[in-house]
Amino acid sequence: MSTSSTQSRHTNGRINSLQSNGHSSRDGSRPGKRIVSPNDAYLYALRVAYLTYLLQPKARRMQHTPAPQPPVQRSSTSINDLMKDFSLIRDNKSTRFPHGFMSELEKRLTGVLMGKERKPEYNDATVKRTFAAFFNAFTEQSFKKRMEKDRRVEDLVLIFFSNATKELQKGKTPADDSWKLMADRHLALFVRLVGLVLRDNDWARDRPELAGRLATLETKLLAHDQDLSSTPTRNGASSGTTVEVVVPLSYEVKDMPLVQVVARIFGLTNAQVQSDINKYKPVWTEKAALQDLKSYQTNLNLKSRSTLRSDDFDLDEAYDNWRKAEAQDLSQMMLAIIQANPELAKSTPGSNFPQFHRQMSSPESGNSSYPNALLKTSDHPERSSYVIEQPVDMTTINSGNHDPGASDGDDTAFTFIPPDARSYYRFIAAEAFAHDLNDAALQPSEATTETPATKLLSKQSMELLNEIGLRWRIPPISRIILFLDTVREKFLDEDITLDTLDAVFNFIKGQPSEAKKTQTFINPLMSDRTTWLLMDTALYQQILSSLHEALMRDLYNTMQQCYESKAPNIAPIMYVLENHIYEDPSFSKSPEEMDAFAGALYEGLQQKAHEKYRSYLEQHVPQDQQSWEFFNVIELGKAVTALAQKIQKRYKKNREVMGVNPLSALVETILPLYAEDARDIVTRILELAQTKGEEVPIEDGFQLYAELTDIRRVHGEVLPNAPFPFSIEATLADFVWRWIATTESAITDWVDQAIKQDNFRVRTDNPQQIPTEEQRHSVSVIDIFSSFNQAIDRVVQLNWDDDLQYAKFMTALAKIVGTGIARYCDVLEQRFSKEMDRLSPEQELAASQTKQEKWLQLAKDTWNNKEKIEPFQFFPESFVKLNNIDFATRQLDKLEHEVNVDACAAVIQRHALPVAQRQKKINNYVFTIKIVEAEDLKACDMNGSSDPYVVLGDEYQKRLAKTRIVYRNLNPRWDESVDITTQGPLNIIATVWDWDAMGDHDCVGRASLKLDPSHFGDFMPREYWLDLDSQGRILLRVSMEGERDDIQFYFGKAFRTLKRTERDMTRTITDKLSAYIHYCLSRRTLRNLTSKGISMSTVSSYFNRNRPQQPTPAPSEAEVANALKRLFAYFDDNFAIMNQTLTSTAMVMVMTRLWKEVLVTIEALLVPPLSDKPSQQRQLNQQELDIVFKWLQYLFDFFHAVDEETGEANGVPLDVLRSPKYFDITTLNFFYFEPTDALVRTSERMASAAAARQQSQRNRLSAPASLASPAFGGAAGLVGLPSTRRSKSIMLSRNLGTMKKAKEEKWKEAQADPNDDMILRILRMRPEAERYLKDRSRQKERLAAAAAADMIVKQSLMAGGGRMMGNLPRR
């Protein structure tokens, strides 16, 4: 068991015994109150104050007297005699030098030795020599460590004297004792230096006794200094001296401070008090006081009932300690009386001079560990009645009347001690406290941020009470308890405030020091309760219990007003309870009583809350139901919320008061009432509106939702485990759906109006100003996204608390956003196409010519070999439209992140029905058809070529899509996609047309394909080679997705719409430039460069075949570069036009597309397209191949656009330039001139490696794209084998991040899985490889079919079985 619990057990046992038996060992210490007359209390207080006056140190004055003739001999005073005062005084804090003194003394000693000391007496060489001898001993670590521990000044003096004596004896004969007086003088100078250090550091004020002893020692040491400085005195000349004499007492009240205090407390004049003093002066003497102490000492030794006995203490050890301290204090008090009146010592028997004891445990002895003002003897030592100037031991003093056989009587009569000291002390303390409270002249304490200004006991009153307590031998803790009992009585009578009560508790506990203001300081007497008297413990418990009952009553009454607009502050009450009542170990709380109080307080608060709500209801809701509106519910809710927020803020730091949460009591009462009333009122309003055929305004519903959610939030914070009475979202969700439907119906008009008001020009203030990046898009795209954001923010700002409903709202809004974007892209693309498809001036002139004029012009141009291509005159508005699409893509990506699409989709998926309960049928299907390429098309133009483009239509001859025109190409590649939405099977017709500038366009051929959703049940893409009805074939890549009510699907569809529009616009722009690219990077240009044209020497060599032919010299580097000069100039002209309007992103996008066109053109120069048939294209020779690769490098550097001065790249990034196609072209150089057999072997090795990779990946979900892309015809082309990649899925295009990731994966797959396509394209130009091409085609078809079959089986197994083909998965 712990010490505290043991002590508590013993204490309670003694207290119970004391209370039950009514036993008391001393009349003056009984807890019961004794009736004290004011006059008796006044007389006893007066005699103590008068005794203090008699025993105070006598005043002295200076008087001149003739000096006696000094002795002839010169001898030093014994150092032991000089240090006697130090050795006999009490060893306490006041007589030790402070911490840090040693370091400061060392600095002053160093100053003396270095001649820096300001005092002239320290500049003597002999003084410095003796100080130096001491400094050596002073700086030893062992000595310094000992001094820091003991801090005794006599040790310093003795060490200095020893070192000075040794130093001054050097060189002296044994008979020469002149050095002794010099040693005294030097020691006096050292003592003076010690005193200077104390005063300079403000330590002398805290240690007056040490400073006084040092001054006395210095005076004694300099008593013989006249022998060193005054020759006349030394030779016997007559001289006088000034001495101090004692001033006799006046016995007047004006010279008695404490007597005046007694007069003020009891309301008497000085004259009245003077009369009483004169009357009782013969009786109230020092001798009577000494006799009281002797009698008390006798009773203490006899353990009579006139003093405390062991029964009055909880522990015998506490009694023994008290008794020992009491004996020492009595000796000190007798010594003080004898010192004040030495004549009394003559009557005191004893053979030896008394010796003073060092240790004394009584707090009255000046121990600084007791800061409490009630325990101090005096604040002014010069006025204390117990200042002892000489060390005396009073243990040898007899009481004079002690008889060992005396009886244990308690009828001892005292002069200065009343019969019941405790009752008298309490009465006087109460009178002093009441007087000081009403004293207008008494200034209150200074207010701080934590405590207000208060008035307690004055300084003079505390002095008086201290003197009374010491003289009447009342223990220190008893004085505190008795004073607190008077305060309790004042508080119960409402004579003092709560702040004063708090100040009293702080006062009796002891004020914290400046350095410890933030810490709790408890007086040691208050904390160590084992030394308490049992009657003090019982009285203290009664005081705490009585104060607790009164404070709890005040707290209850105060809390009943907590819901008012200006509620009283309970902090002072709680502070006193928590810091002074509950934290006190003497107070024990009864759990039953505390629970009963909490229950009563909670019921009272609930009743007050109910009354408050009824007043709000009557104020905001009318009696007539027909006049009810949402506004009434909102206003009522605002009133309830405001009250709850006010209470929450009011009790933010302390949410509970005595275990009761005022906010909980309020919310638990009014929120259920409000929720039920709100539900009934809202339901009734909606019923009335439905009956009248009206609709409540949407904004009213939104405002009501905001107010109800605020109420529910407060309810959840205060009552986390109690559900809200009804579902707000279920009641008001219809208002949100009505608002979404309104938005959906208006979205198309919003877009059309935004486009209508837009002039599609850069947003600059001055037409000559160069636009910034943020000014290169027009206002229409800003307006539509502002509309989108406003629509979404309106729902977001509701803070809808149902995740599933919120996710569905966002899904519906995503569909609306997708509809708006699709409309915006469709209108912009139509306007863009109209601007880009306009005729050039030459074409307009040709259109006005007759048919005969057209043929003549065409024949003339053909004869002159003229093919003039002019730069296309772009409109700035067209580029602004492309900028708008780029800006819309970035804004949609930002919107996708803000909406948190993935989180919404996850919520819907988490709440989705099980697979078995989902709807199996998909109503809408989205087919994505990519028109890839065509080969071996029919030539429709006179030059043996065609300008093909493709038109997709349905079986009802409705145009679905149209590709761009690829000029002068029988093996065109379009790579254009279109989305077609259908609800069932659909037949599409792909028609290839030849574009003609003059006349009607020619039909090259047709092919048809049936889009049946049942054939795409695995949702995997398929490729179809469709034979045209005339000649050649066309490749279509088809994939299908079910159109789902899914937020990711809607965002993905919107992103695809934007990217496809952006890609189509970019391709349209680059198509205007591609014709010149094909013209400059053609075999004709290559042939002209290698043959350098036809000359006369060429013709003559034709007729001289027998002569040896000279090899054609290779073109120089400059000639190769000049061949591209016109192309670069063409690019520069067009780029300059674009750069004025296009954003940097759009500019790079156009240049990237042009770079792809360049790569495709160069690739067509080197090899024919991939096919299983031989090609008629001729293989280039080494010289031509070198020229092509030089062109490639020149174009690479041109598109990268590195600044020669800064080295910064301003064009297409390197990672885009170095695309997979670029690497395929660069690898051609390794295989281009390899023999056919070597190429076949290399192709076979690659095919074997590809088959091995496919075998190892059979267990994976997908296979490389190269194995799943049948590039040949045959069976695969007829049935349309599925591809294993779904990189074009709408779900993978739902934001820029997923699109970028898919693109990076595609590039990684292309680089990680090399194939033999380029080798097969080279073999097409080798007639001897015709058979191998067919075999390799069949092998690739088998590999693709196997990979597709594995994928279908795996997906079927993952879907839970069923048929492998033809069935749609469950949703």
Side-chain angles (χ1 to χ4, degrees):
M1 184 178 292
S2 64
T3 305
S4 61
S5 61
T6 304
Q7 294 171 355
S8 176
R9 180 189 63 183
H10 286 260
T11 302
N12 293 335
R14 289 281 184 92
I15 291 174
N16 294 336
S17 175
L18 178 64
Q19 292 175 346
S20 61
N21 298 332
H23 169 73
S24 177
S25 61
R26 182 185 178 194
D27 292 341
S29 299
R30 291 173 183 169
K33 294 182 182 180
R34 179 171 183 166
I35 299 177
V36 178
S37 67
N39 186 61
D40 292 343
Y42 156 71
L43 290 177
Y44 275 104
L46 181 61
R47 58 186 83 182
V48 172
Y50 175 68
L51 180 61
T52 303
Y53 171 73
L54 295 178
L55 300 181
Q56 69 180 356
K58 304 301 187 291
R60 298 176 183 269
R61 63 188 176 189
M62 305 303 297
Q63 181 174 335
H64 182 77
T65 59
Q69 186 69 22
V72 177
Q73 68 276 8
R74 298 186 182 96
S75 61
S76 168
T77 304
S78 170
I79 188 64
N80 294 328
D81 294 339
L82 293 175
M83 296 305 298
K84 188 175 182 180
D85 290 348
F86 285 95
S87 62
L88 294 179
I89 64 175
R90 181 181 307 159
D91 187 10
N92 57 21
K93 180 178 179 181
S94 179
T95 61
R96 296 186 181 187
F97 55 76
H99 292 287
F101 172 80
M102 294 293 290
S103 60
E104 294 297 327
L105 180 59
E106 184 176 354
K107 294 179 182 178
R108 294 297 289 264
L109 290 173
T110 304
V112 171
L113 298 179
M114 298 180 65
K116 296 182 179 180
E117 181 59 43
R118 298 185 298 272
K119 302 293 183 180
E121 57 264 27
Y122 294 97
N123 294 329
D124 183 72
T126 308
V127 173
K128 292 183 179 179
R129 183 159 56 87
T130 56
F131 271 67
F134 166 72
F135 189 77
N136 293 332
F138 178 80
T139 54
E140 291 183 1
Q141 293 298 323
S142 59
F143 176 75
K144 293 179 67 176
K145 185 176 181 181
R146 186 172 73 253
M147 292 304 299
E148 289 288 352
K149 178 180 179 182
D150 297 338
R151 298 187 285 122
R152 293 162 53 91
V153 71
E154 54 265 34
D155 295 340
L156 274 178
V157 173
L158 291 175
I159 292 298
F160 183 89
F161 184 78
S162 175
N163 285 275
T165 301
K166 293 178 182 178
E167 187 64 28
L168 293 174
Q169 280 181 341
K170 292 180 180 179
K172 304 291 183 180
T173 62
D176 187 2
D177 59 353
S178 60
W179 58 269
K180 293 183 179 180
L181 293 177
M182 189 62 69
D184 291 348
R185 176 177 176 81
H186 288 192
L187 181 59
L189 292 177
F190 175 73
V191 172
R192 180 180 299 174
L193 186 67
V194 172
L196 290 174
V197 172
L198 290 175
R199 286 195 296 273
D200 291 346
N201 291 276
D202 203 20
W203 288 327
R205 184 178 62 181
D206 297 334
R207 290 166 172 78
E209 187 173 354
L210 176 60
R213 298 297 178 182
L214 289 174
T216 302
L217 178 60
E218 180 184 350
T219 302
K220 292 181 179 180
L221 288 170
L222 294 177
H224 301 284
D225 193 38
Q226 63 272 17
D227 295 332
L228 298 177
S229 59
S230 179
T231 302
T233 303
R234 181 185 60 189
N235 294 333
S238 62
S239 176
T241 182
T242 301
V243 297
E244 287 183 345
V245 296
V246 177
V247 178
L249 297 176
S250 66
Y251 297 100
E252 295 181 1
V253 173
K254 63 182 181 65
D255 296 328
M256 305 176 186
L258 289 187
V259 172
Q260 297 176 21
V261 174
V262 174
R264 287 197 298 269
I265 291 176
F266 288 93
L268 301 176
T269 64
N270 288 349
Q272 292 173 318
V273 175
Q274 185 71 58
S275 174
D276 292 334
I277 290 177
N278 295 336
K279 177 180 178 181
Y280 294 105
K281 182 168 63 173
V283 181
W284 298 346
T285 62
E286 297 97 325
K287 183 176 180 180
L290 182 61
Q291 184 61 38
D292 281 358
L293 294 179
K294 290 178 180 180
S295 300
Y296 183 84
Q297 187 181 49
T298 300
N299 294 333
L300 179 65
N301 294 333
L302 296 176
K303 300 182 180 180
S304 69
R305 286 185 295 175
S306 298
T307 63
L308 298 177
R309 298 192 302 182
S310 61
D311 294 343
D312 294 315
F313 291 88
D314 183 29
L315 301 176
D316 294 337
E317 180 184 358
Y319 171 71
D320 293 339
N321 291 336
W322 170 83
R323 191 167 180 272
K324 181 178 178 182
E326 195 76 356
Q328 294 176 353
D329 290 349
L330 290 174
S331 299
Q332 296 297 315
M333 295 172 68
M334 292 179 188
L335 175 62
I337 295 174
I338 292 174
Q339 184 179 7
N341 190 353
E343 294 296 327
L344 296 177
K346 297 178 181 180
S347 62
T348 302
S351 58
N352 299 324
F353 193 82
Q355 299 293 322
F356 193 83
H357 289 289
R358 292 177 178 270
Q359 302 284 337
M360 205 167 98
S361 62
S362 175
E364 300 88 274
S365 61
N367 192 333
S368 61
S369 63
Y370 297 94
N372 194 295
L374 288 176
L375 309 183
K376 294 180 181 178
T377 57
S378 175
D379 290 328
H380 300 281
E382 65 274 9
R383 291 191 298 183
S384 174
S385 60
Y386 309 113
V387 175
I388 304 172
E389 295 184 352
Q390 298 296 331
V392 180
D393 186 359
M394 295 300 299
T395 57
T396 59
I397 299 180
N398 248 332
S399 61
N401 59 357
H402 173 60
D403 184 4
S407 63
D408 188 14
D410 57 355
D411 55 352
T412 304
F414 297 99
T415 302
F416 291 93
I417 303 176
D420 186 357
R422 290 175 62 93
S423 298
Y424 276 83
Y425 183 87
R426 184 188 182 282
F427 184 88
I428 296 172
E431 292 295 321
F433 186 48
H435 172 269
D436 290 343
L437 286 178
N438 299 322
D439 187 4
L442 178 61
Q443 296 296 325
S445 64
E446 184 177 355
T448 65
T449 57
E450 298 179 357
T451 59
T454 55
K455 293 172 61 175
L456 297 177
L457 292 174
S458 65
K459 188 176 181 182
Q460 295 79 7
S461 298
M462 288 190 292
E463 243 184 90
L464 175 63
L465 292 175
N466 285 333
E467 292 292 337
I468 293 174
L470 290 170
R471 179 58 53 188
W472 294 353
R473 306 314 304 148
I474 299 176
I477 191 60
S478 298
R479 306 175 211 168
I480 296 175
I481 302 301
L482 292 173
F483 173 70
L484 185 60
D485 190 34
T486 64
V487 174
R488 174 196 60 81
E489 186 175 0
K490 294 286 185 183
F491 181 74
L492 295 181
D493 294 340
E494 298 183 358
D495 292 337
I496 61 174
T497 64
L498 198 62
D499 293 334
T500 304
L501 179 64
D502 174 48
V504 169
F505 272 107
N506 292 329
F507 173 72
I508 66 174
K509 292 179 180 179
Q511 294 294 337
S513 62
E514 290 295 326
K516 299 181 179 179
K517 280 188 175 180
T518 59
Q519 301 178 359
T520 302
F521 182 91
I522 301 298
N523 193 309
L525 288 178
M526 296 294 292
S527 60
D528 185 12
R529 307 197 178 194
T530 59
T531 63
W532 286 24
L533 299 178
L534 295 179
M535 62 190 71
D536 289 337
T537 302
L539 178 57
Y540 188 58
Q541 290 178 348
Q542 293 175 9
I543 293 171
L544 294 180
S545 178
S546 178
L547 289 175
H548 178 258
E549 183 179 353
L551 290 171
M552 295 295 281
R553 186 165 50 251
D554 292 346
L555 179 63
Y556 181 88
N557 295 331
T558 304
M559 287 298 297
Q560 294 303 303
Q561 306 176 53
C562 71
Y563 299 143
E564 302 300 328
S565 58
K566 293 184 178 180
N569 189 10
I570 66 167
I573 302 177
M574 295 303 301
Y575 180 84
V576 174
L577 284 171
E578 293 174 357
N579 291 275
H580 302 314
I581 305 297
Y582 295 149
E583 287 188 357
D584 199 296
S586 297
F587 179 80
S588 59
K589 293 189 294 185
S590 171
E592 293 79 10
E593 293 179 0
M594 299 303 294
D595 292 343
F597 175 81
L601 178 60
Y602 195 80
E603 291 179 1
L605 292 179
Q606 284 188 319
Q607 181 64 30
K608 291 293 182 181
H610 192 275
E611 295 175 1
K612 199 72 175 176
Y613 176 74
R614 299 310 303 177
S615 65
Y616 286 157
L617 188 64
E618 294 174 0
Q619 178 182 356
H620 296 290
V621 179
Q623 295 292 330
D624 183 15
Q625 295 186 5
Q626 298 294 329
S627 60
W628 283 354
E629 296 178 356
F630 279 2
F631 175 77
N632 303 128
V633 183
I634 293 172
E635 290 301 311
L636 179 61
K638 287 182 178 180
V640 171
T641 304
L643 178 60
Q645 290 175 347
K646 182 187 295 183
I647 300 303
Q648 185 180 30
K649 183 178 180 180
R650 181 175 294 171
Y651 297 97
K652 182 178 181 181
K653 295 183 179 180
N654 299 304
R655 296 185 176 182
E656 291 190 354
V657 178
M658 308 304 293
V660 176
N661 190 329
L663 183 60
S664 298
L666 175 70
V667 173
E668 288 181 356
T669 303
I670 66 174
L671 288 192
L673 295 174
Y674 172 78
E676 294 173 2
D677 290 343
R679 177 195 58 199
D680 297 340
I681 295 174
V682 170
T683 303
R684 183 57 179 166
I685 291 174
L686 295 177
E687 290 176 355
L688 292 175
Q690 185 176 6
T691 303
K692 297 176 181 179
E694 301 174 353
E695 284 188 344
V696 180
I698 295 176
E699 286 301 322
D700 290 355
F702 286 174
Q703 292 178 11
L704 178 62
Y705 179 79
E707 192 59 42
L708 291 176
T709 51
D710 282 344
I711 296 288
R712 185 174 59 188
R713 176 184 55 80
V714 177
H715 183 279
E717 291 175 355
V718 181
L719 304 173
N721 299 324
F724 198 69
F726 75 102
S727 175
I728 304 174
E729 285 73 21
T731 304
L732 302 179
D734 185 62
F735 287 91
V736 183
W737 288 117
R738 284 169 52 195
W739 184 84
I740 291 176
T742 302
T743 304
E744 185 176 13
S745 62
I747 189 67
T748 303
D749 185 61
W750 291 354
V751 175
D752 292 342
Q753 291 297 324
I755 296 175
K756 183 179 181 180
Q757 298 175 12
D758 194 1
N759 57 7
F760 294 98
R761 296 186 180 276
V762 294
R763 295 175 294 108
T764 55
D765 298 332
N766 187 354
Q768 305 299 326
Q769 179 184 351
I770 299 177
T772 63
E773 288 290 316
E774 294 301 323
Q775 294 176 335
R776 294 179 180 244
H777 53 267
S778 61
V779 296
S780 60
V781 69
I782 298 176
D783 292 341
I784 65 168
F785 270 93
S786 176
S787 302
F788 295 160
N789 285 313
Q790 290 177 4
I792 293 175
D793 289 344
R794 190 67 187 91
V795 176
V796 172
Q797 291 169 1
L798 292 175
N799 294 318
W800 203 259
D801 201 29
D802 188 310
D803 291 342
L804 180 60
Q805 288 184 351
Y806 177 80
K808 291 181 178 180
F809 295 157
M810 290 296 107
T811 302
L813 290 174
K815 183 178 180 180
I816 295 174
V817 170
T819 302
I821 288 177
R823 175 64 179 175
Y824 186 73
C825 290
D826 183 51
V827 176
L828 254 64
E829 196 168 10
Q830 292 178 10
R831 294 193 176 192
F832 182 83
S833 299
K834 185 176 181 180
E835 294 166 356
M836 300 300 291
D837 292 342
R838 71 184 187 280
L839 298 177
S840 64
E842 292 80 3
Q843 291 173 340
E844 292 179 354
L845 179 61
S848 62
Q849 293 177 342
T850 62
K851 189 173 184 180
Q852 184 177 4
E853 291 174 342
K854 293 178 181 177
W855 282 106
L856 290 175
Q857 184 65 36
L858 179 61
K860 182 178 180 181
D861 293 341
T862 303
W863 176 258
N864 294 330
N865 195 21
K866 178 182 178 182
E867 191 169 354
K868 184 178 180 181
I869 300 178
E870 298 291 340
F872 185 79
Q873 297 298 322
F874 295 102
F875 287 163
E877 293 86 346
S878 302
F879 293 147
V880 170
K881 293 181 177 64
L882 180 58
N883 293 340
N884 287 357
I885 298 298
D886 176 64
F887 179 79
T889 304
R890 288 185 278 113
Q891 290 297 308
L892 184 63
D893 184 69
K894 180 180 178 181
L895 187 62
E896 192 265 352
H897 285 87
E898 291 176 352
V899 171
N900 201 351
V901 169
D902 294 339
C904 292
V907 170
I908 294 177
Q909 180 65 28
R910 188 165 59 248
H911 292 83
L913 295 174
V915 176
Q917 301 178 15
R918 296 181 190 175
Q919 184 180 0
K920 299 181 180 180
K921 185 178 180 181
I922 302 177
N923 295 326
N924 294 328
Y925 304 94
V926 179
F927 283 96
T928 300
I929 302 175
K930 184 173 184 179
I931 305 170
V932 183
E933 60 180 336
E935 64 178 27
D936 296 337
L937 296 181
K938 179 178 67 174
C940 298
D941 294 337
M942 296 179 60
N943 57 7
S945 182
S946 294
D947 303 318
Y949 66 93
V950 180
V951 174
L952 286 183
D954 59 11
E955 52 191 322
Y956 304 105
Q957 297 182 357
K958 178 184 177 181
R959 175 182 287 193
L960 302 176
K962 174 188 174 183
T963 68
R964 73 187 192 284
I965 302 170
V966 179
Y967 296 97
R968 293 177 298 280
N969 200 324
L970 298 179
N971 298 288
R973 188 175 186 90
W974 294 279
D975 285 327
E976 295 187 25
S977 301
V978 62
D979 288 340
I980 299 175
T981 302
T982 179
Q983 295 181 350
L986 178 67
N987 290 319
I988 61 170
I989 300 173
T991 305
V992 182
W993 294 90
D994 171 52
W995 180 85
D996 286 325
M998 297 174 293
D1000 297 332
H1001 299 180
D1002 301 323
C1003 180
V1004 179
R1006 291 184 178 87
S1008 63
L1009 176 66
K1010 183 178 182 180
L1011 301 179
D1012 192 344
S1014 62
H1015 296 163
F1016 292 83
D1018 54 359
F1019 292 96
M1020 299 301 296
R1022 286 170 168 77
E1023 293 183 347
Y1024 296 93
W1025 277 104
L1026 304 178
D1027 293 330
L1028 299 178
D1029 55 2
S1030 57
Q1031 175 184 332
R1033 57 182 182 172
I1034 184 173
L1035 176 61
L1036 302 181
R1037 184 175 297 138
V1038 183
S1039 62
M1040 185 195 74
E1041 288 191 68
E1043 186 170 356
R1044 296 177 289 173
D1045 188 19
D1046 183 272
I1047 188 170
Q1048 291 178 330
F1049 178 85
Y1050 290 134
F1051 267 96
K1053 188 175 181 181
F1055 267 107
R1056 273 226 308 211
T1057 301
L1058 287 170
K1059 297 305 290 185
R1060 184 165 294 163
T1061 302
E1062 182 183 67
R1063 184 171 59 250
D1064 291 345
M1065 287 183 175
T1066 305
R1067 181 170 289 158
T1068 302
I1069 293 173
T1070 56
D1071 284 346
K1072 298 300 180 181
L1073 311 178
S1074 61
Y1076 200 67
I1077 295 174
H1078 297 158
Y1079 173 75
C1080 294
L1081 300 179
S1082 62
R1083 286 190 172 237
R1084 182 179 57 184
T1085 304
L1086 191 62
R1087 184 170 58 252
N1088 292 337
L1089 185 61
T1090 55
S1091 64
K1092 299 182 181 180
I1094 301 176
S1095 61
M1096 292 302 297
S1097 59
T1098 305
V1099 178
S1100 62
S1101 64
Y1102 177 79
F1103 293 100
N1104 297 322
R1105 296 180 179 177
N1106 294 330
R1107 295 183 183 180
Q1109 304 239 351
Q1110 297 294 332
T1112 304
S1116 63
E1117 193 78 19
E1119 292 174 337
V1120 175
N1122 287 334
L1124 298 180
K1125 188 174 181 180
R1126 289 185 298 170
L1127 179 61
F1128 290 156
Y1130 183 74
F1131 282 158
D1132 288 337
D1133 292 342
N1134 286 279
F1135 288 169
I1137 298 173
M1138 297 177 188
N1139 199 39
Q1140 294 177 0
T1141 308
L1142 285 178
T1143 63
S1144 57
T1145 304
M1147 190 68 192
V1148 171
M1149 186 167 51
V1150 171
M1151 294 178 66
T1152 302
R1153 180 60 199 171
L1154 281 175
W1155 171 247
K1156 292 180 180 179
E1157 192 69 29
V1158 167
L1159 293 180
V1160 170
T1161 304
I1162 290 180
E1163 184 184 44
L1165 280 175
L1166 297 173
V1167 290
L1170 187 64
S1171 178
D1172 59 345
K1173 300 177 181 179
S1175 174
Q1176 301 299 321
Q1177 183 173 329
R1178 179 183 62 84
Q1179 186 171 344
L1180 302 179
N1181 56 34
Q1182 184 64 54
Q1183 188 181 71
E1184 293 171 334
L1185 185 66
D1186 293 341
I1187 293 173
V1188 172
F1189 276 104
K1190 288 180 181 179
W1191 285 351
L1192 180 63
Q1193 184 60 44
Y1194 293 151
L1195 290 165
F1196 185 94
D1197 296 339
F1198 177 81
F1199 278 90
H1200 192 41
V1202 176
D1203 193 325
E1204 296 180 356
E1205 295 181 358
T1206 62
E1208 181 181 359
N1210 299 316
V1212 182
L1214 281 177
D1215 58 338
V1216 178
L1217 292 173
R1218 293 171 178 167
S1219 62
K1221 183 174 288 297
Y1222 174 79
F1223 282 108
D1224 289 342
I1225 294 174
T1226 56
T1227 56
L1228 276 175
N1229 201 20
F1230 298 102
F1231 305 106
Y1232 203 74
F1233 295 109
E1234 286 290 316
T1236 302
D1237 294 340
L1239 291 177
V1240 170
R1241 287 193 297 270
T1242 303
S1243 175
E1244 290 175 346
R1245 285 196 301 271
M1246 290 184 176
S1248 300
R1253 284 195 302 272
Q1254 180 175 344
Q1255 184 65 30
S1256 64
Q1257 295 174 355
R1258 286 287 177 90
N1259 295 329
R1260 293 178 57 186
L1261 185 63
S1262 61
S1266 58
L1267 301 182
S1269 302
F1272 301 100
L1278 292 176
V1279 299
L1281 289 176
S1283 172
T1284 56
R1285 287 189 76 253
R1286 298 186 64 189
S1287 60
K1288 297 300 182 180
S1289 170
I1290 291 178
M1291 301 301 289
L1292 295 179
S1293 304
R1294 61 181 182 272
N1295 56 42
L1296 293 179
T1298 57
M1299 296 170 70
K1300 182 179 180 181
K1301 185 177 179 181
K1303 187 175 182 180
E1304 291 175 351
E1305 291 179 354
K1306 178 180 178 182
W1307 282 24
K1308 289 179 180 178
E1309 290 179 2
Q1311 296 178 0
D1313 299 330
N1315 54 67
D1316 59 343
D1317 288 351
M1318 279 299 177
I1319 295 178
L1320 295 176
R1321 296 173 72 173
I1322 295 174
L1323 290 176
R1324 284 196 66 195
M1325 296 184 292
R1326 311 282 179 89
E1328 62 273 17
E1330 180 179 1
R1331 183 176 182 82
Y1332 177 74
L1333 289 173
K1334 293 182 180 180
D1335 294 340
R1336 182 72 180 100
S1337 173
R1338 288 192 292 269
Q1339 182 184 9
K1340 294 186 76 171
E1341 292 171 6
R1342 289 194 299 270
L1343 290 175
D1350 291 342
M1351 182 58 62
I1352 294 173
V1353 172
K1354 183 175 290 295
Q1355 289 185 344
S1356 177
L1357 293 175
M1358 292 176 64
R1363 297 187 61 181
M1364 294 172 55
M1365 294 290 291
N1367 290 336
L1368 297 179
R1370 295 176 179 177
R1371 299 192 72 242

